[in-house]
Amino acid sequence: MAMAIGTALLDEVIARHGVTKVDVNEQNTGALGFYLRQGFVQVGKSELDGDGRPHPLLHLEIPA
């Protein structure tokens, strides 16, 4: 069974760049589901995005 492109890309950035944390727009349920399936867990939430707009962000990370 072939690995999905998103999973392959995520595996690459984890292996090469040590990515263990991501932020996801709360309304982006597709992205949230993807990261949760990859083993990330929610560790926090911000009510505003990085530009100060009211777009809640969920903070996810891979457990140590």
Side-chain angles (χ1 to χ4, degrees), residues 3-14 34 38:
M3 182 184 305
I5 292 173
T7 301
L9 291 171
L10 181 60
D11 289 347
E12 183 75 10
V13 297
I14 290 170
F34 169 77
Q38 301 306 314

Side-chain angles (χ1 to χ4, degrees), residues 25-39:
N25 184 301
E26 184 176 48
Q27 296 175 338
N28 190 342
T29 57
L32 177 59
F34 169 77
Y35 287 115
L36 294 176
R37 287 189 303 276
Q38 301 306 314

Side-chain angles (χ1 to χ4, degrees), residues 6-64:
T7 301
L9 291 171
L10 181 60
D11 289 347
E12 183 75 10
V13 297
I14 290 170
R16 287 190 182 227
H17 303 285
V19 171
T20 59
K21 298 178 182 181
V22 296
D23 290 335
V24 177
N25 184 301
E26 184 176 48
Q27 296 175 338
N28 190 342
T29 57
L32 177 59
F34 169 77
Y35 287 115
L36 294 176
R37 287 189 303 276
Q38 301 306 314
F40 284 79
V41 295
Q42 183 178 336
V43 295
K45 179 179 177 179
S46 298
E47 292 301 323
L48 304 175
D49 68 10
D51 293 325
R53 296 176 295 196
H55 302 290
L57 294 177
L58 301 177
H59 309 295
L60 310 175
E61 69 180 41
I62 298 172

